[in-house]
């Protein structure tokens, strides 16, 4: 009996010790993360409620309440950027997921070239976006770009086209550059998911006389749903912050057709030096991101539970 | 399972086309770096350089001095990666193996934080760094890079720590080893692959980051590679040769990293995506 | 999230926040003027003898030769105790402005002296990015400049920059091609368009006319010239935007017709000075609108295939008009307010705007700001542009507002959309007007 109590006590001591050690090991990381992300976001909100002006050696703030947000909400450039960023993100990510899924399914059973293709697929992922943007800039060039040479040679168009010169083609060109860079990454994730589906599943399905389409719809897709959804969410939010690609490729042009929210924010903050309104743009961006995450997460949750129910 | 022949053929055709699609633009950048200016602006373009030259490399590194960009990138990325591993491994371990209150909550919060776009915090960080007098210094990038890349590293590392059998931990604590000693003498060596995975991800993220680098370290001496290349404008109207020559030098080390660590990168990708 | 986690996170957050706030409070100190009001005026090197200082000069490549190095060498010879380090600027004014606003806004102490566009004084002065030079230099210093230039560098009664060189736009053309086709040099826009078409039809050249149509400051300059030729203006006398006018329509419609008629390549909507210059130097285009430097560049065999084949005249105007307008371009010398070497900066600017340096500029085909040098420019400069100056009428961009960057963006982004055909001419002008109106509300959006 006494031994029992003693054991319990020792166990409790051990637990407490572990908890303290755990909190001690967790805190440094958490403090850094909160200090550089959460606190600045709160400070951002504060700045967005002020009129901030540059002075000789710092900033002067004067509280203006919601007037910055009022300016943002009434600015057509803000809504234009929001809309562009939104449809750009959704379209590129949808294209990446669809292409990624199709390519992964096609090459799932290829035995040779495995190592080589993994390396090749990781190259665009590890490439600095600014470099790939310069690369595409040269490919798209309206005077001596190689893309014009190819489409003219194939008689698809009669004259060289200025790809970055009209809104529709500039947005498409930007999407292609993004899809080129990220699809391989999606392919790798989906391939790994496919590897995890036990062979017995396929066997059983074949026994039941299922055709390829049914196998995909009833076996492969439910298994992949989780990883596709998560990859999609990550990518959408990443795409929502798109900045470097349009910065180099189009500088937001033609007109402001490719001016993403991040570009607008950066311009207002650091080129025109309106820190109050710029912070309001940033805060509005955070709100949009939060809304997207919440919508997606709740949808994702039902997706997962649905998947488990089957 | 036995594959019909046609499916294999389709698979190979798609794979080879896909790899070509990936490599062609890259090839174009590669050959452009070796073309003289007149060929770079030539139309129709030559697919193989007629008069290959190394002059752009000389321009990039002698005339326009790309070295500092590469040096800055290496310093910032390496130190940030080290700090992320240091704090991230401890946090990942305690979230995986220790009775921390509210673990799930912390994990979800980390996930949400790691998704915030950089533009959301760039202005207050700028003000903060400015008041510390840290703009145009290495720490101006190291601190935010460490904070922004840690959540993902914690996720990856936690998954690796979970794979180490729990019995080991029990045994160690019965032996009276302190928690921290258990962590770095037993667990860390067993999760080396995880550390490498997290390291490669962090390093690549720091190496490619642009917005913070552009805003915080815009002075010429402190620019990282992306900023140096984005703001590069040579004396001549077609700067692509010099840009691509400098870019190739910046790309090669990363490709070597990718080749060495490819298995771990892939496992890291799938780990992070599936378990939660 | 469990309540315990919430609490832990809140605690962590509060700890960090208070730490941050302590730091933050120190930062929003209201400005204290550091205006070092030394007013040494002797032009023989104001810095104390024997003390060696190094200053950094941010400057783009004005002309694509060794002009900058030559200037620095000349200065260092005259002032052996000051060393000048060159920090390269980007080739386009907007990128350069962005770099300087972030770096100097961040309190960077370098560059000490930087070359900046003539349209920046208002924005830079109102945001403490430029040192008021009237506090640095004596009143008499400003008498050396040609009339009107100092006015352009003044904002709110402070002079924020010292004019370094003036930029004027000209029409550069291929003498050899016009001779082959037996055409006179065009003096009107309409004539230019038809001449260019003739040359293209005869297969003498690939493109007719190239200029700057990208969505950036340069397009505002190009557009302002057509607008002035058509008798229009950007703002009326009471400061209201009036682009939606017959003149505005005429200007943009003509620019767009250059593209639709095939005289100007579509790619012009992504071209800045560099790209247009390249096309001309590669011999692919007959006419080019560009600044003074293009003469010197086109005659340098290192990059140009048209050496000796180039002629230059004042820009055309619309048929029936008499004045040939050019935008007032040019670059000024600014001082970083955080510079640690104000005295050396002053010495340097004094030398750069003095006779020796200004003559070097003239030799490289740039227009001097120093009135005495300007008088004899045509006799020392080899470039034919000096002889053309009397025929040029100047039109300024409305850069007296600290929000000029947004004002200009309202112009160039909408005109660019009209040129690309993604907006109708009248819509683009209406939109430009309304965006210019809202830019004055000081929000930056």
């Amino acid at each position: 009996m006494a031994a029992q109590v003693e054991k319990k006590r020792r166990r409790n001591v051990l637990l407490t010790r572990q908890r303290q050690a755990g909190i001690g090991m967790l805190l440094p990381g958490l403090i850094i993360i909160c200090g550089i992300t959460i606190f600045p976001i709160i400070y951002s909100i504060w700045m967005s409620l002020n009129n901030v002006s540059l002075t000789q050696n710092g900033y002067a703030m004067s509280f203006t309440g919601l007037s910055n947000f009022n300016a943002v909400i009434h600015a057509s450039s803000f809504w234009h950027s929001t809309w562009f960023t939104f449809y750009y993100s959704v379209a590129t990510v949808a294209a990446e997921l669809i292409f990624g899924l199709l390519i992964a399914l096609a090459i799932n059973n290829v035995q040779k070239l495995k190592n080589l293709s993994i390396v090749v697929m990781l190259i665009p992922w590890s490439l600095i976006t600014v470099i790939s943007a310069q690369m595409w800039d040269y490919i798209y060039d309206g005077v001596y770009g190689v893309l014009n040479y190819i489409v003219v040679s194939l008689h698809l168009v009669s004259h060289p086209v200025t790809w970055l010169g009209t809104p529709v083609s500039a947005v498409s060109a930007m999407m292609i550059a993004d899809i080129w860079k990220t699809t391989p990454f999606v392919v790798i994730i989906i391939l790994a998911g496919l590897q995890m589906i036990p062979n017995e599943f396929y066997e059983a399905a074949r026994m039941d006389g299922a055709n390829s389409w049914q196998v995909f719809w009833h076996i492969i897709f439910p298994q992949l749903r989780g990883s596709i959804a998560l990859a999609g969410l990550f990518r959408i939010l990443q795409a929502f912050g798109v900045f470097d690609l349009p910065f180099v490729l189009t500088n937001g042009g033609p007109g402001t057709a490719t001016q993403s929210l991040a570009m607008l924010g950066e311009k207002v903050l650091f080129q025109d030096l309106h820190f109050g309104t710029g912070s309001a743009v940033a805060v509005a961006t955070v709100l949009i991101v939060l809304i997207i995450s919440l919508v997606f997460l709740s949808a994702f949750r039902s997706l997962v539970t649905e998947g488990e129910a089957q | 399972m036995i594959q019909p022949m046609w499916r294999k053929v389709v698979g190979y055709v798609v794979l080879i086309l896909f790899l070509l699609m990936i490599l062609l633009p890259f090839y174009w950048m590669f050959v452009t770096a070796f073309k003289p200016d007149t060929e770079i602006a030539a139309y129709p373009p030559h697919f193989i350089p007629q008069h290959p030259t190394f002059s752009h490399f000389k321009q990039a590194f002698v005339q326009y001095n790309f070295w500092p960009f590469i040096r800055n990138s290496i310093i910032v990325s390496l130190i940030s990666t080290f700090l992320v591993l240091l704090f991230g491994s401890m946090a990942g371990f305690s979230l995986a193996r220790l009775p921390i209150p509210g673990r799930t909550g912390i994990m979800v919060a980390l996930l949400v934080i790691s998704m915030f776009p950089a533009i959301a915090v760039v202005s207050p960080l700028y003000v903060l760094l400015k008041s510390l007098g840290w703009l145009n210094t290495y720490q101006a990038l190291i601190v935010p890079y460490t904070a922004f890349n840690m959540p993902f590293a914690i996720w990856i590392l936690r998954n690796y720590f979970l794979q180490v059998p729990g019995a080991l931990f029990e045994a160690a604590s019965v032996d009276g080893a302190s928690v921290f000693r258990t962590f770095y003498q037993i667990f860390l060596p067993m999760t080396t692959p995880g550390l490498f995975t997290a390291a490669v991800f962090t390093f690549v993220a720091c190496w490619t980051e642009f917005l913070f680098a552009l805003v915080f370290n815009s002075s010429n001496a402190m620019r990282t590679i992306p900023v140096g290349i984005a703001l590069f404008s040579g004396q001549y109207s077609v700067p692509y040769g010099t840009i691509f020559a400098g870019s190739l030098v910046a790309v090669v080390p990363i490709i070597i990293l990718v080749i060495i660590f490819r298995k771990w990168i892939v496992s890291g990708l799938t780990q992070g995506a599936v378990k939660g | 999230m469990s309540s315990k986690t919430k609490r832990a996170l809140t605690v962590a957050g509060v700890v960090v926040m208070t730490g941050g706030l302590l730091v933050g409070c120190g930062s929003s100190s209201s400005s204290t003027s550091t205006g070092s009001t030394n007013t040494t005026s002797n032009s023989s090197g104001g810095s104390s003898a024997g003390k060696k200082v190094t200053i950094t000069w941010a400057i783009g490549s004005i002309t694509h030769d060794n002009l900058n190095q030559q200037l620095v060498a000349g200065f260092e010879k005259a002032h052996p105790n000051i060393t000048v380090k060159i920090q390269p600027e980007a080739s386009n004014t907007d990128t350069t402005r962005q770099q300087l606003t972030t770096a100097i806004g961040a309190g960077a102490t370098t560059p000490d002296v930087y070359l900046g566009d003539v349209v920046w004084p208002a924005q830079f002065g109102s945001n403490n990015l430029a040192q008021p030079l009237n506090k640095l230099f004596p009143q008499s210093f400003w008498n050396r400049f040609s009339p009107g230039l100092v006015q352009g560098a003044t904002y709110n009664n402070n002079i924020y920059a010292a004019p370094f060189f003036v930029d004027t736009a000209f029409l550069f053309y291929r003498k050899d091609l016009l001779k082959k086709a037996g055409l006179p040099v065009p003096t009107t826009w309409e004539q230019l368009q038809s001449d260019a078409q003739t040359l293209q039809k005869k297969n003498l050249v690939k493109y007719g006319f190239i200029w700057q149509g990208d969505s950036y400051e340069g397009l505002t300059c190009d557009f302002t010239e057509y607008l002035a030729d058509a008798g229009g203006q950007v703002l009326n006398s009471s400061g209201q935007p009036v682009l939606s006018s017959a003149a505005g329509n005429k200007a943009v419609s003509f620019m767009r017709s250059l593209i639709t008629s095939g005289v100007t390549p579509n790619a012009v909507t992504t071209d800045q000075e560099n790209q247009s210059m390249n096309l001309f130097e590669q011999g692919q285009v007959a006419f080019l609108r560009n600044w003074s430097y293009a003469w010197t560049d086109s005659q340098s065999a290192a990059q140009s295939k048209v050496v000796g084949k180039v002629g230059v005249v004042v820009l055309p105007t619309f048929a029936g008009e008499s004045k040939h307008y050019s935008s007032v371009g040019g670059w000024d010398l600014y001082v970083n307010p955080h510079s640690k070497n104000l005295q050396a900066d002053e010495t340097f600017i004094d030398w750069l705007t003095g006779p020796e340096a200004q003559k070097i500029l003239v030799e490289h085909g740039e227009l001097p700001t120093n009135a005495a040098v300007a008088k004899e420019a045509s006799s020392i400069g080899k470039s034919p542009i000096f002889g053309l100056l009397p025929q040029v009428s100047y039109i300024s961009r409305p850069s007296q507002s600290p929000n000029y960057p947004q004002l200009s963006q309202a112009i160039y982004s909408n005109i660019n959309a009209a040129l690309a055909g993604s907006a109708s001419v009248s819509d683009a002008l209406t939109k430009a007007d309304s965006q210019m109106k809202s830019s004055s509300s000081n929000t930056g959006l």
Side-chain angles (χ1 to χ4, degrees):
Chain A
M1 201 65 203
Q4 283 279 351
V5 172
E6 177 60 14
K7 211 171 177 177
K8 211 169 185 161
R9 199 188 60 81
R10 282 219 348 234
R11 202 168 161 68
N12 276 341
V13 168
L14 200 69
L15 264 178
T16 318
R17 222 177 54 193
Q18 285 183 0
R19 182 170 305 141
Q20 282 167 344
I23 291 175
M25 286 166 79
L26 184 61
L27 267 188
L30 279 193
I31 286 177
I32 294 173
I33 293 169
C34 297
I36 303 298
T37 55
I38 301 203
F39 161 67
I41 286 175
I42 293 167
Y43 198 79
S44 221
I45 296 172
W46 173 239
M47 278 171 82
S48 68
L49 300 174
N50 278 276
N51 186 3
V52 189
S53 52
L54 269 180
T55 60
Q56 183 72 28
N57 35 13
Y59 295 85
M61 300 235 205
S62 60
F63 189 77
T64 55
L66 291 175
S67 75
N68 285 328
F69 284 97
N70 195 26
V72 166
I73 282 171
H74 285 106
S76 59
S77 54
F78 171 75
W79 292 113
H80 171 84
S81 291
T82 306
W83 170 235
F84 165 73
T85 311
F86 184 77
Y87 80 76
Y88 169 82
S89 307
V90 171
T92 44
V93 175
E96 281 159 16
L97 292 178
I98 291 166
F99 286 136
L101 184 63
L102 291 176
I103 292 166
L105 286 173
I107 63 183
N108 187 25
N109 298 305
V110 166
Q111 305 302 334
K112 299 187 180 71
L113 297 175
K114 263 259 145 69
N115 267 337
L116 174 77
S117 35
I118 293 286
V119 169
V120 169
M121 285 184 215
L122 286 172
I123 290 176
W125 165 74
S126 63
L127 191 61
I128 297 174
T129 314
V130 167
I131 293 180
S132 72
Q134 294 277 21
M135 181 178 86
W136 286 101
D137 190 36
Y138 179 52
I139 291 171
Y140 289 136
D141 191 284
V143 177
Y144 41 75
V146 67
L147 180 66
N148 273 324
Y149 175 72
I150 294 169
V151 293
V152 171
S153 308
L154 296 173
H155 298 291
L156 296 172
V157 295
S158 53
H159 290 296
V161 180
T162 308
W163 301 102
L164 302 173
T166 64
V168 175
S169 60
V171 171
S172 318
M174 205 174 123
M175 287 179 175
I176 288 171
D178 203 338
I179 291 167
W180 173 84
K181 194 174 184 314
T182 323
T183 306
F185 181 79
V186 177
V187 170
I188 291 176
I189 290 183
I190 296 178
L191 268 183
L194 285 171
Q195 305 290 322
M196 286 186 183
I197 301 175
N199 258 339
E200 295 81 64
F201 278 40
Y202 294 110
E203 310 276 342
R206 292 264 173 241
M207 295 288 218
D208 296 344
N211 60 26
S212 300
W213 173 247
Q214 286 166 322
V215 169
F216 170 75
W217 197 240
H218 292 290
I219 293 173
I220 298 180
F221 191 68
Q223 293 279 332
L224 289 181
R225 228 172 1 196
S227 46
I228 292 179
L230 204 67
L233 175 63
F234 263 109
R235 280 291 307 132
I236 285 208
L237 291 174
Q238 222 177 6
F240 220 84
V242 70
F243 174 77
D244 32 17
L245 186 60
F247 183 93
V248 173
L249 201 58
T250 58
N251 199 4
T256 52
T258 55
Q259 188 176 55
S260 68
L261 267 174
M263 274 191 84
L264 178 73
E266 193 268 354
K267 183 185 86 74
V268 176
L269 284 166
F270 300 105
Q271 292 180 48
D272 304 338
L273 305 165
H274 291 284
F275 279 86
T277 8
S279 300
V281 172
V283 171
T285 312
V286 172
L287 282 178
I288 297 170
V289 164
L290 273 179
I291 292 167
I292 295 180
S293 309
L294 288 173
V295 169
F296 213 99
L297 276 174
S298 56
F300 178 63
R301 187 162 290 170
S302 64
L303 254 181
V304 171
T305 47
E306 210 179 291
E308 281 165 359
Q310 282 190 347
Chain B
M1 122 188 219
I2 297 148
Q3 283 293 327
M5 194 61 202
W6 67 266
R7 212 180 272 221
K8 264 210 164 125
V9 172
V10 169
Y12 276 109
V13 169
V14 170
L15 177 68
I16 286 164
L17 280 178
F18 183 52
L19 296 187
L20 276 180
M21 292 290 291
I22 295 174
L23 286 173
L24 277 177
F26 204 76
Y27 167 82
W28 198 236
M29 179 164 101
F30 184 83
V31 291
T32 305
F34 294 94
K35 286 180 179 178
D37 274 340
T38 44
E39 270 182 57
I40 290 177
Y43 187 88
H46 302 293
F47 289 89
I48 290 163
Q50 309 291 300
H51 309 281
T53 165
F54 278 97
S55 65
H56 294 305
F57 289 86
K58 213 174 118 183
Q59 270 169 2
F61 291 96
V62 178
Q63 196 179 348
Y64 294 113
N65 211 357
F66 267 51
W67 283 124
F69 304 154
I70 296 182
R71 185 195 61 214
N72 296 339
S73 268
I74 290 176
I75 291 175
V76 167
S77 306
L78 276 184
I79 297 179
S80 307
T81 306
F82 171 77
L83 290 175
V84 164
L85 291 187
L86 179 75
F87 296 119
S89 61
M90 291 197 303
F93 175 76
S94 58
L95 286 171
R97 286 284 164 215
L98 297 172
I100 302 277
R103 270 194 293 204
T104 350
I106 295 178
M107 294 305 290
V108 171
L110 286 180
L111 194 65
V112 172
I113 286 172
S114 64
M115 292 180 183
F116 273 112
I119 188 75
V121 295
V122 72
S123 63
L125 278 182
Y126 178 83
V127 172
L128 202 76
L129 291 166
K130 182 178 166 155
S131 55
L132 290 169
W134 276 12
L135 288 164
N136 293 314
T137 61
Y138 289 128
Q139 61 266 33
L141 295 182
I142 291 170
V143 172
Y145 285 3
T146 306
F148 265 82
N149 290 302
M150 210 183 304
F152 189 66
I154 292 177
W155 267 84
I156 291 182
L157 290 165
R158 173 178 169 267
N159 285 336
Y160 274 93
F161 284 122
L162 282 174
Q163 286 168 5
V164 179
L168 272 176
F169 185 66
E170 302 293 324
S173 52
V174 168
D175 286 351
S178 80
V179 175
F180 190 75
R181 239 184 84 186
T182 317
F183 158 69
Y184 84 89
Q185 286 196 330
I186 299 175
F187 275 75
L188 265 194
M190 294 187 74
T191 50
T192 317
L195 288 175
F196 275 117
T197 307
V200 173
F201 272 88
T202 308
F203 189 88
V204 168
C206 299
W207 191 257
T208 57
E209 202 283 332
F210 182 60
L211 180 61
F212 286 159
L214 176 77
V215 171
F216 299 157
N217 282 13
S218 51
S219 85
N220 216 28
M222 296 305 297
R223 284 178 195 170
T224 55
I225 296 167
V227 182
I229 286 176
L231 299 183
F232 178 82
S233 52
Q235 263 188 310
Y236 305 108
S237 25
V238 196
Y240 295 113
T242 318
I243 288 176
F244 293 162
S247 301
L248 281 187
V249 176
V251 163
V252 168
I254 289 283
I255 292 185
I256 292 171
L257 266 186
V258 163
I259 292 174
I260 297 174
F261 294 118
R262 62 182 179 275
K263 284 207 177 70
W264 289 331
I265 298 175
V266 174
S267 75
L269 284 179
T270 48
Q271 294 268 356
V274 183
K275 298 187 179 147
Chain C
M1 221 189 253
S2 78
S3 63
K4 273 186 182 161
T5 320
K6 266 195 201 144
R7 208 173 314 138
L9 277 175
T10 326
V11 169
V14 167
V15 169
V16 173
M17 272 177 60
T18 41
L21 284 175
L22 286 177
V23 175
C25 290
S27 70
S28 51
S29 59
S30 56
S31 83
T32 51
S33 148
T34 61
S36 102
T37 44
N38 68 19
T39 44
T40 45
S41 62
N42 53 353
S43 49
S44 60
S47 58
S48 49
K51 212 176 118 237
K52 288 223 182 304
V53 283
T54 300
I55 57 174
T56 310
W57 184 29
I59 180 163
S61 39
I62 305 170
T63 51
H64 296 167
D65 50 20
N66 61 351
L67 167 63
N68 301 351
Q69 287 74 12
Q70 223 179 315
L71 287 165
V72 168
F75 173 73
E76 286 175 342
K77 209 170 135 188
H79 300 275
N81 53 353
I82 304 176
T83 312
V84 177
K85 236 173 60 192
I86 288 184
Q87 177 183 313
E89 280 180 352
S91 65
N92 102 55
T93 165
D94 294 327
T95 314
T96 303
R97 183 169 62 88
Q98 172 175 4
Q99 284 171 46
L100 291 165
T101 49
T102 25
I104 297 173
T109 53
T110 56
D112 295 282
V113 176
Y114 58 94
L115 192 71
D117 202 318
V118 289
V119 293
W120 295 352
Q123 191 204 6
F124 277 48
S126 65
N127 285 300
N128 273 300
L129 300 170
Q131 175 81 8
L133 297 185
N134 43 330
K135 297 203 171 85
L136 216 56
F137 290 99
Q139 194 66 44
S140 58
F141 168 80
W142 305 103
N143 299 337
R144 65 178 65 178
F145 297 105
S146 306
L149 294 176
V150 176
Q151 193 49 43
T154 307
Y155 170 71
N156 259 356
N157 300 324
N158 277 327
I159 307 170
Y160 285 103
F164 184 44
F165 66 88
V166 182
D167 240 343
T168 305
F170 295 98
L171 179 71
F172 298 86
Y173 62 92
R174 291 278 302 280
K175 284 191 299 204
D176 54 327
L177 300 182
L178 287 183
K179 205 166 150 190
K180 258 188 209 156
L183 292 167
V185 180
T187 57
T188 67
W189 289 119
E190 292 84 353
Q191 203 185 340
L192 171 89
Q193 193 169 13
S194 67
D195 282 4
Q197 277 172 315
T198 310
L199 293 171
Q200 285 171 288
K201 275 203 197 85
K202 293 192 172 177
N203 274 335
L204 288 169
V205 71
K206 192 168 174 187
Y207 300 118
F209 177 37
I210 190 73
W211 30 284
Q212 294 78 37
D214 192 12
S215 186
Y216 83 125
E217 186 61 36
L219 177 55
T220 302
C221 298
D222 284 42
F223 164 72
T224 308
E225 288 157 2
Y226 292 101
L227 183 69
D229 288 338
Q233 52 198 142
V234 177
L235 305 176
N236 65 13
S237 51
S238 52
Q240 290 304 311
V242 284
L243 286 187
S244 285
S245 59
N249 260 309
K250 183 175 177 180
V252 184
S253 304
F254 176 75
M255 291 166 89
R256 171 78 184 139
S257 79
L258 285 169
I259 300 172
T260 49
S261 63
V263 164
T264 295
N266 281 328
V268 76
T269 56
T270 57
D271 281 350
Q272 301 182 351
E273 282 94 347
N274 257 349
Q275 289 90 345
S276 54
M277 192 69 212
N278 178 58
L279 210 59
F280 187 73
E281 285 175 340
Q282 295 297 318
Q284 304 218 352
V285 64
F287 298 100
L288 160 79
R289 178 259 176 226
N290 206 348
W291 307 99
S292 335
Y293 82 94
W295 170 262
T296 316
D297 266 23
S298 68
Q299 298 310 302
S300 131
Q303 71 240 14
S304 170
K305 293 181 179 169
V306 292
V307 179
K309 300 175 180 170
V310 182
V312 54
V313 282
V314 289
L315 285 171
T317 186
F318 285 111
E321 303 288 341
S322 58
K323 285 188 164 177
H324 295 259
Y325 279 102
S326 157
S327 280
V328 179
W331 289 79
D332 295 353
L333 295 159
Y334 295 73
V335 173
N336 178 350
H338 310 290
S339 168
K340 297 262 189 288
N341 313 303
L342 286 176
Q343 219 166 29
D345 300 344
E346 185 193 346
T347 312
F348 186 45
I349 291 181
D350 183 50
W351 187 85
L352 284 175
T353 54
E356 194 183 337
Q358 293 278 310
K359 277 179 188 155
I360 297 178
L361 281 174
V362 171
E363 281 159 22
H364 286 265
E366 290 294 349
L367 304 169
T369 52
N370 184 303
V373 178
K375 273 205 190 73
E376 45 178 355
S378 46
S379 59
I380 26 179
K382 290 188 290 287
S383 172
I385 59 166
F386 298 109
L388 298 169
L389 292 175
Q391 306 166 42
V392 180
S393 310
Y394 285 101
I395 176 81
S396 302
R397 289 161 279 166
S399 57
Q400 276 304 309
S401 142
N403 292 316
Y404 174 70
Q406 289 101 277
L407 198 80
S408 182
Q409 197 194 17
I411 299 172
Y412 65 67
S413 65
N414 286 302
I415 304 293
N416 178 266
L419 294 177
S422 59
S424 75
V425 172
S426 58
D427 284 357
L429 291 169
T430 319
K431 214 167 149 190
D433 277 344
S434 76
Q435 283 177 6
M436 276 194 275
K437 272 200 191 76
S438 60
S439 80
S440 59
S441 68
N442 210 353
T443 60
L445 283 160

